[in-house]
Amino acid sequence: MNTGVAESRPQEEDGIAFASGQPKGAGRARLARELLAGHYRPGQVLELREIEERYEMDEDSLLNAFGDLESLGVVKLSGNHSATVLSPSLKEMMEVYEIRAGLEEIAGRTAATFLQGGAAELQGEVDAMLAAVHSDDPDAYAEHDIKFHRIILEASQNRVLRRVWDNLAIELRMRAGIPKASGDLYDSAESHRPIANALEEGKGREAGLLLRNHVETLLEYLKRSESDAGTQGGFRKDLEDAKRVQQAFFPPQTISIPCISSETFYQPARGIGGDYYDLLALQKGRWGIAIGDVSGKGIGAALIMASVQASLKFQALQPHLKLSTLIGDVNRLVYGSSPTNIFATLFYAEYEPAKRLLNYVNAGHNPPLVLRSKDGTCEILRLPSTGIPVGISADPQFPSATFQFEIDDVLVAYTDGITEAENRQHELWGQQRLEALLKSCSRKSPKEIIDTILDQVSKFANGQPQRDDVTLLVMQVQEGCDD
């Protein structure tokens, strides 16, 4: 893999100074970005004198820039007169981004100690990235994206990481990748926010995993962009096939739990997604109720969620286990078969209609809400998290809890695509708005509750695109199943 830079020249007046972390000279930065971004076709011969005039560079700066680009495998120089554009290597790009993912995970773990309570600059860079997306300014986005990651790298105080970062020309590659991932920049910008939050709170392990997830997700964007050039038709067909397969994972609309009126809604952000819900008929009249959300979106998240669903269903249909043991087994399967940065929040419950008793484990999922009408008012009860998400650790504990339903109680389970819907001012709809709305819904049917939630979220977003998968599961307890 040809990824090294032959020589670092941080003192050049108009050079690409990898060691300093910032390109010097707009013409040279633009040349590098456009070559790496594929603005010139492979095999094209570039006359250096024409390039010199086009990018307003002097001869020495031009030769120095092409020397660096040749070491990256982008061009092949022919003396001092011309250069041939080489075909980009997807394999090399993947290798560099895999190295970068590990590098940033290590940097994030270490930097948290130094950035705890002082990550305001990182939050400012996230805001600047979002502003650049809204103003359609990819160059500004690239500068703030680079600065965000450079702050973390410098805070780690690890010279080896900085040297590898510079020698792999990561910042040039970041600038080149922005145009290729232009359709995903909003999501990419937003994915920086939880990283900054984790560093602000001094959570090094979490920050490291989030950084790795960010880089690996960006690599998926770039790989998709590379494949789109010649395989759009095939990709669309594969996507439609995957969408049909995923739909088969969900329970049929005709399934119903005795003495429960239920309604569901599912809408992925990208055709297929990482949300999941299920209703399972179990032994002795019990029913399994599940809702989950994999970190990330798209095909990768859908594959992991399919694994979660298969593991959960297999475990649930075995002779009865304690829920803590059942979810522990699911966790080990997911942990052992998923990338290190992938995890899933999961709420799984077993319901006994005759007793109206719910036994559940909430593995880091948004707390389902129970609406209970009493004396003309609506009380909201939460089923909070009892453990961490599955897939994060090899052998965590997943304590179970119970909840006693009353007739007419309504259970509302949801994923964070609801609470994290965003408006044009970048405000989140949030838990508080959801609960305030539900207090007026206690006498509505499950379908009416779902319609009301979706209507209010849509009004709040005011035309903003859906950023995350959305799932709702609403159930109302009815009479008729008493012992």
Side-chain angles (χ1 to χ4, degrees), residues 347-366:
F347 175 86
Y348 176 70
E350 292 186 354
Y351 180 64
E352 298 180 56
K355 297 179 180 179
R356 295 195 290 274
L357 185 67
L358 191 78
N359 188 21
Y360 70 89
V361 168
N362 186 346
H365 195 73
N366 304 81

Side-chain angles (χ1 to χ4, degrees), residues 240-297:
E240 287 301 314
D241 289 344
K243 188 175 179 180
R244 284 192 290 272
V245 170
Q246 187 182 46
Q247 287 295 330
F249 290 162
F250 293 101
Q253 292 294 321
T254 54
I255 196 169
S256 61
I257 299 175
C259 304
I260 289 284
S261 172
S262 65
E263 191 73 26
T264 60
F265 176 85
Y266 169 69
Q267 182 169 292
R270 295 180 185 159
I272 62 174
D275 278 8
Y276 150 69
Y277 71 90
D278 211 347
L279 302 175
L280 305 170
L282 307 176
Q283 297 175 2
K284 300 180 180 179
R286 293 173 296 109
W287 282 81
I289 302 168
I291 184 168
D293 182 4
V294 167
S295 59
K297 293 177 283 295

